Amino acid sequence: MITVTEATATAGALERLSTEGVSIWLDDLSRGRIESGNLAELVAHHNVVGVTTNPSIFQAAIGSGEGYEEQLTDLAVRGVTVDEAVRMMTTADVRAAADVLRPVYEATAGRDGRVSIEVDPRLAHRTAATIAEAKQLAWLVDRPNVMIKIPATKAGLPAITEVIGLGISVNVTLIFSLERYREVMDAYLAGLEKAAANGVDLAGIHSVASFFVSRVDSEIDKRLTVLGTDAALALKGRAALANARLAYEAYEEIFSGERFTALAGAKANRQRPLWASTGVKDPAYKDTLYVDELVAPGTVNTMPEATLNATADHGQITGDTVTGGYAQARADLAAVETLGISYDEVVRQLEDEGVAKFEVAWNDLLSAVTKSLDGKGVDAE
């Protein structure tokens, strides 16, 4: 983990990133990170102003058991179900992290200082269950700076509208396609309209739309490599940035339009694009690629710790690297299509895989907690 001394010495690039209007969030959380003071150090010295979690992150943290022994013992004595045990542990961590970030939340009028927690990934295709879970998580965490993560599946879209309409802030996750992103923004605006009709103060509702980056390159690069032509290989490492840049173009369009302008009059907040999956998967690429090349005002970049370290050490923040690249972005995605690689097929596959991977991680976490509870001599079921 990053120490105060290291952070102070290398914060230049992160400071510049923040100055450009990019909010830096950490894509990781564990009880050890909270209790050691590391999270507070990152907030104080490394420009971190938010935290995102997902089932894979909790599986890695809680699956190890480190730091959770006392709570596991208490939960075992109570004879809780494994599902309840997992929720008690994950919401406890998010609550504690939200307390660490509360000063940021207050200083930014709720814009940052956010900690996200995801609905059970097994509910990704069930609208009513997702809504109920989101309400329950908001109640369990009981902090104004929590954000509930809802996946951008077809079933998730009406859930987003309903939850926003209740005044609960939402992080929409697993967005891969430009079409789905527009549907997400529409769901958010519909939620704001519902909230306004319900008399909810729109100023207190915040949302981000997590647009996944590196996984797009991973899948399209794999297909380009199979083709193996000079034209195909020249396009490697370009599709993810192109996709994200065109998402930002759509964001600019929607949130300067008449529909949002009317809501803005009631102090509604824009739903900011959040660049997710920003850790580089291909070692041939610069490890800060999805940070340096996605700088634009009003965005969030949530980084795994390795990417945060790399950016602090040698990130090259040279100003806005998004808004001037729309024409090239369209050309790059068109060139990929010309080679016979279907954009629609790729993004549909990535969404399906994303939901499946989180469900596997969640089930692995349930299994690990079951073993821990059973090991304490109490039947978790």
Side-chain angles (χ1 to χ4, degrees), residues 132-302:
E133 171 93 343
K135 291 162 62 178
Q136 175 76 354
L137 286 174
W139 178 82
L140 280 171
V141 176
D142 192 28
R143 293 295 184 272
N145 49 330
V146 69
M147 268 190 172
I148 308 304
K149 292 181 80 173
I150 297 176
T153 57
K154 278 293 186 183
L157 294 172
I160 293 162
T161 295
E162 185 65 27
V163 173
I164 289 291
L166 294 171
I168 298 171
S169 294
V170 172
N171 176 342
V172 184
T173 188
L174 291 175
I175 307 171
F176 294 95
S177 80
L178 295 168
E179 178 183 3
R180 182 56 53 83
Y181 178 43
R182 285 182 177 274
E183 292 174 337
V184 165
M185 290 188 285
D186 180 74
Y188 173 64
L189 294 177
L192 290 177
E193 290 160 351
K194 178 170 283 194
N198 291 337
V200 177
D201 180 9
L202 301 190
I205 303 173
H206 288 261
S207 183
V208 293
S210 296
F211 201 85
F212 278 53
V213 184
S214 67
R215 295 187 194 182
V216 174
D217 268 345
S218 294
E219 181 59 33
I220 290 182
D221 282 1
K222 180 172 65 178
R223 299 181 184 210
L224 291 170
T225 300
V226 169
L227 292 174
T229 64
D230 290 344
L233 298 179
L235 287 168
K236 289 182 66 175
R238 301 177 70 93
L241 292 175
N243 201 36
R245 286 167 177 158
L246 293 177
Y248 190 81
E249 181 185 39
Y251 157 77
E252 288 186 305
E253 174 195 331
I254 296 300
F255 287 99
S256 62
E258 291 183 6
R259 188 178 181 191
F260 178 73
T261 299
L263 291 162
K267 300 184 178 180
N269 301 290
R270 293 185 173 199
Q271 181 186 56
R272 290 183 292 168
L274 179 150
W275 310 130
S277 182
T278 56
V280 172
K281 304 291 194 293
D282 189 334
Y285 300 153
K286 185 182 178 185
D287 53 4
T288 60
L289 175 66
Y290 304 124
V291 179
D292 297 350
E293 297 297 330
L294 289 176
V295 178
T299 59
V300 179
N301 194 312
T302 187

Side-chain angles (χ1 to χ4, degrees), residues 49-64:
V49 294
V51 170
T52 49
T53 67
N54 61 45
S56 298
I57 286 171
F58 280 129
Q59 193 275 330
I62 299 174
S64 70

